[in-house]
Amino acid sequence: MNEEDFTKKLAGMFQQGPDVLVGPGDDCAVLDTGADRLLLAAADQLISSVHYLEGCPPAYAARKLLRRNISDIAAMGGTPTHALVTLALNPVDEIWLTDFHASLAETAAAYGVSVIGGDIARLFTKGEVCSLTILGSVEREKLCLRSGAKTGDLLYATGVFGNSFHSGHHLEFRPRLEEARFLAGHFTHAMMDVSDGLLKDAARVADASGCALVLDPLRIPLRRGATVDGALGDGEDYELIFAIPPPLSEELEAAWPFPETPLSCIGRFTDGTPGAVSGLEHLKQNKLKTGFDHFHEETV
Amino acid sequence: MNEEDFTKKLAGMFQQGPDVLVGPGDDCAVLDTGADRLLLAAADQLISSVHYLEGCPPAYAARKLLRRNISDIAAMGGTPTHALVTLALNPVDEIWLTDFHASLAETAAAYGVSVIGGDIARLFTKGEVCSLTILGSVEREKLCLRSGAKTGDLLYATGVFGNSFHSGHHLEFRPRLEEARFLAGHFTHAMMDVSDGLLKDAARVADASGCALVLDPLRIPLRRGATVDGALGDGEDYELIFAIPPPLSEELEAAWPFPETPLSCIGRFTDGTPGAVSGLEHLKQNKLKTGFDHFHEETV
């Protein structure tokens, strides 16, 4: 069974209460606690020798861990609010921990996030496993889901793609929080952050929305040093992809208030097999990476 | 610097927003989201070869992980509602993962908890790191904090103590959720769950409450095979300790509706150095374990 199907099978084992509007399978879970805004929650981890090189400064690891979780909140149209962090590490080095926490505190303060709890424990072997749960909130009318795209909608993307690891982007990126807040509600209700590779993640939006997708690979903006194949499959871009109804396209491009963030139309949702992606026939499909595989990823 | 002081130093680095009623340092963080009930959140982890023996069935690990987090919610007087789980493991074994998730789902259903998200990734070496964030809620008037004890209050405990690891209690315990709900509000506003050892955790309640504490070691109920020293220091009991104003003591003992859960008065809060514990002078103090050390714990 592939990772996608197996993960769905595992998630399907859990019973969800009536307050769970969205359970596992989107960028965040969505809860209705009875407050004005919906509650968002997601968890992600960063593992030494897998998500960053051994010897990576703890300040970079902490910043990346929080920012990638904030990117998940952004993709729902929301605002991050709180985080909880668990660390399993060996050695339990006070300097490493102090640097990690100082960077986490600085990043959290920059995004208005309160780090409210966590746990530190010794790992049985040298290395680190860092896990972060992010909480956030979103106005009911701004909530964006992967499943919100409709046949005929255009697929837009922020930023540029590919070559994230070698360029250092995977440690330096800024989650597209302001862009997402601008988009959510009026322009789109279908958004996702690209972390596992543009092709894989775009297909997920299409699949969740019951649409097929035609990508225009020549319109995918490339990061310096990236190939089209890399843009489609490298992952760790932390950019937003989102569905725009064609009547809003012109308004969006005219109103886009982020001159430093590229905005590109890279495809269109169509009728067809849910999740099927076409438009890539001219690329050497057999060499195309289909995105990040969490279960079998190579040690970096 | 000892673990307690170092952890406080790290937690002190984080700015807390105005909606954070209680930040790091209690069993859970407490948030006021504007809903009727307060939101509770805590995170904890379970690490192979540290918190359970290598080869421990994943079903036991999953159950323990969720139950120990529910015990933290119970200690605040609350009800568990949602969980997020991250797993770093190697090998990424489908049978292990299926067993883990099946047990997690069964335990979650038993406590009315929705497992709403998480992440699975490959660890760089053989073993598992499991991290769980629990969310819960509590009526404002039922909230219990470590800091709620007052001079003159009696220290009560549920259950029996010591010898948790060898007896298997650390895998089989049930969080004292119903007992905590019965106690919270009317009988007590000062409660904690004992996971790091009775002496260490009781001292934490006293310290947070600005009181000293006199323990009566002869009144501490022992688990089969446990010594008084072990009851004070072994940890992994997952029992509740709580402060009871003397006028409520008789009413509590008469009303206690849990015949299978022992209820014992084991001490009294007094004026004195916050967190100072006396009453143990007749024990061989130099041999007394002072509780579980998360940074330097032995491999089991």
Side-chain angles (χ1 to χ4, degrees), chain A residues 1 6 9-10 13-17 19-20 23-24 29 31 33 35 39 41-45 47-51 82 84 86-88 92 94 97-98 101-102 104-105 109 114-129 131 133 135 294-295 297 299, chain B residues 1 6 9-10 13-17 19-20 23-24 29 31 33 35 39 41-45 47-51 82 84 86-88 92 94 97-98 101-102 104-105 109 114-129 131 133 135 294-295 297 299:
Chain A
M1 201 180 294
F6 183 62
K9 185 190 119 181
L10 294 180
M13 291 181 173
F14 299 123
Q15 294 176 24
Q16 302 297 338
D19 59 344
V20 181
L31 308 180
T33 64
L39 182 66
D44 207 352
Q45 50 193 341
I47 303 172
S48 62
S49 307
V50 176
H51 296 107
H82 307 88
L84 299 101
T86 64
L87 297 173
V92 182
E94 292 202 358
L97 283 168
T98 301
H101 281 74
L104 188 66
S114 301
V115 180
I116 55 174
D119 185 59
I120 300 169
R122 202 178 68 86
L123 188 58
F124 49 84
T125 187
K126 192 172 181 312
E128 300 103 33
V129 177
S131 175
T133 293
L135 302 179
H294 298 79
F295 290 2
E297 52 207 340
T299 297
Chain B
M1 202 181 292
F6 183 62
K9 185 190 120 180
L10 294 180
M13 290 180 174
F14 299 123
Q15 296 176 22
Q16 302 297 339
D19 59 344
V20 181
L31 308 179
T33 65
L39 182 66
D44 208 352
Q45 49 193 341
I47 303 172
S48 63
S49 306
V50 176
H51 297 106
H82 307 89
L84 299 102
T86 63
L87 298 173
V92 182
E94 292 203 0
L97 282 169
T98 301
H101 281 74
L104 188 65
S114 301
V115 180
I116 56 173
D119 184 60
I120 300 171
R122 203 179 67 83
L123 189 57
F124 49 84
T125 188
K126 192 172 182 309
E128 302 102 34
V129 177
S131 175
T133 294
L135 302 179
H294 297 80
F295 290 1
E297 52 208 342
T299 297

Side-chain angles (χ1 to χ4, degrees), chain B residues 39-251:
Chain B
L39 182 66
L40 304 171
D44 208 352
Q45 49 193 341
L46 215 59
I47 303 172
S48 63
S49 306
V50 176
H51 297 106
Y52 58 88
L53 293 165
E54 204 177 320
C56 168
Y60 283 75
R63 193 176 65 180
K64 175 174 179 176
L65 178 62
L66 181 53
R67 284 185 176 174
R68 73 193 299 201
N69 275 279
I70 290 174
S71 186
D72 284 321
I73 296 285
M76 310 299 288
T79 305
T81 55
H82 307 89
L84 299 102
V85 182
T86 63
L87 298 173
L89 74 168
N90 190 340
V92 182
D93 183 307
E94 292 203 0
I95 294 173
W96 193 98
L97 282 169
T98 301
D99 288 354
F100 184 95
H101 281 74
S103 170
L104 188 65
E106 186 183 332
T107 308
Y111 289 96
V113 171
S114 301
V115 180
I116 56 173
D119 184 60
I120 300 171
R122 203 179 67 83
L123 189 57
F124 49 84
T125 188
K126 192 172 182 309
E128 302 102 34
V129 177
C130 318
S131 175
L132 190 144
T133 294
I134 189 99
L135 302 179
S137 69
V138 62
E139 302 87 345
R140 288 163 193 262
E141 68 278 9
K142 277 182 176 277
L143 178 65
C144 295
L145 302 177
R146 293 184 187 178
S147 57
K150 291 183 175 56
T151 293
D153 282 356
L154 302 170
L155 178 69
Y156 270 78
T158 62
V160 297
F161 290 84
N163 196 33
S164 176
F165 243 113
H166 294 294
S167 67
H169 176 73
H170 78 109
L171 290 175
E172 297 288 348
F173 71 94
R174 291 174 170 276
R176 299 299 193 185
L177 197 53
E178 290 175 28
E179 290 86 345
R181 295 287 294 164
F182 172 79
L183 290 163
H186 178 62
F187 287 108
T188 189
H189 288 98
M191 192 149 57
M192 180 176 178
D193 86 312
V194 177
S195 55
D196 291 344
L198 178 57
L199 174 55
K200 190 174 195 169
D201 286 338
R204 284 170 168 161
V205 175
D207 185 40
S209 298
C211 298
L213 177 66
V214 183
L215 277 180
D216 185 345
L218 297 180
R219 296 176 71 177
I220 298 170
L222 305 183
R223 180 167 290 105
R224 192 184 170 94
T227 61
V228 175
D229 283 9
L232 287 165
D234 285 348
E236 298 262 340
D237 299 300
Y238 303 104
E239 295 293 351
L240 299 171
I241 51 176
F242 45 97
I244 296 291
L248 290 178
S249 168
E250 202 173 322
E251 182 192 341

Side-chain angles (χ1 to χ4, degrees), chain A residues 33-294:
Chain A
T33 64
D36 288 345
R37 295 163 71 107
L38 298 171
L39 182 66
L40 304 172
D44 207 352
Q45 50 193 341
L46 214 59
I47 303 172
S48 62
S49 307
V50 176
H51 296 107
Y52 59 88
L53 293 164
E54 202 178 321
C56 169
Y60 283 76
R63 193 176 64 179
K64 176 174 179 175
L65 178 62
L66 181 52
R67 284 187 175 174
R68 74 193 299 201
N69 275 280
I70 290 174
S71 187
D72 283 322
I73 297 284
M76 311 299 288
T79 306
T81 55
H82 307 88
L84 299 101
V85 182
T86 64
L87 297 173
L89 74 167
N90 189 341
V92 182
D93 183 309
E94 292 202 358
I95 293 174
W96 193 98
L97 283 168
T98 301
D99 287 354
F100 184 95
H101 281 74
S103 170
L104 188 66
E106 185 183 333
T107 308
Y111 289 96
V113 170
S114 301
V115 180
I116 55 174
D119 185 59
I120 300 169
R122 202 178 68 86
L123 188 58
F124 49 84
T125 187
K126 192 172 181 312
E128 300 103 33
V129 177
C130 319
S131 175
L132 190 144
T133 293
I134 190 100
L135 302 179
S137 70
V138 62
E139 301 86 345
R140 288 162 194 263
E141 68 279 10
K142 278 182 175 275
L143 178 66
C144 294
L145 302 176
R146 293 184 188 179
S147 57
K150 292 184 174 54
T151 293
D153 282 356
L154 302 169
L155 178 68
Y156 271 79
T158 61
V160 297
F161 291 84
N163 196 33
S164 175
F165 243 114
H166 293 293
S167 67
H169 176 74
H170 78 110
L171 290 176
E172 297 288 348
F173 72 92
R174 291 173 170 277
R176 298 300 193 184
L177 197 54
E178 290 176 28
E179 291 85 345
R181 294 288 294 164
F182 171 80
L183 290 163
H186 178 62
F187 287 108
T188 189
H189 288 98
M191 193 149 57
M192 179 176 179
D193 87 311
V194 177
S195 55
D196 291 345
L198 178 57
L199 175 55
K200 189 173 196 170
D201 286 338
R204 284 171 167 160
V205 175
D207 185 41
S209 298
C211 299
L213 177 66
V214 183
L215 277 180
D216 185 346
L218 297 180
R219 296 177 71 177
I220 297 171
L222 307 183
R223 180 168 290 104
R224 192 184 170 93
T227 62
V228 175
D229 282 9
L232 287 164
D234 284 347
E236 298 262 342
D237 299 299
Y238 303 105
E239 295 293 349
L240 300 170
I241 53 175
F242 46 97
I244 297 291
L248 291 178
S249 168
E250 201 173 323
E251 182 192 341
L252 169 64
E253 300 200 9
W256 187 245
F258 307 100
E260 294 182 3
T261 307
L263 177 72
S264 311
C265 179
I266 61 171
R268 180 188 290 268
F269 295 93
T270 64
D271 286 329
T273 308
V277 179
S278 59
L280 307 177
E281 295 73 14
H282 296 294
L283 301 174
K284 294 175 182 168
Q285 281 267 26
N286 56 335
K287 292 180 66 178
L288 207 59
K289 285 205 300 181
T290 55
F292 208 72
D293 182 331
H294 298 79

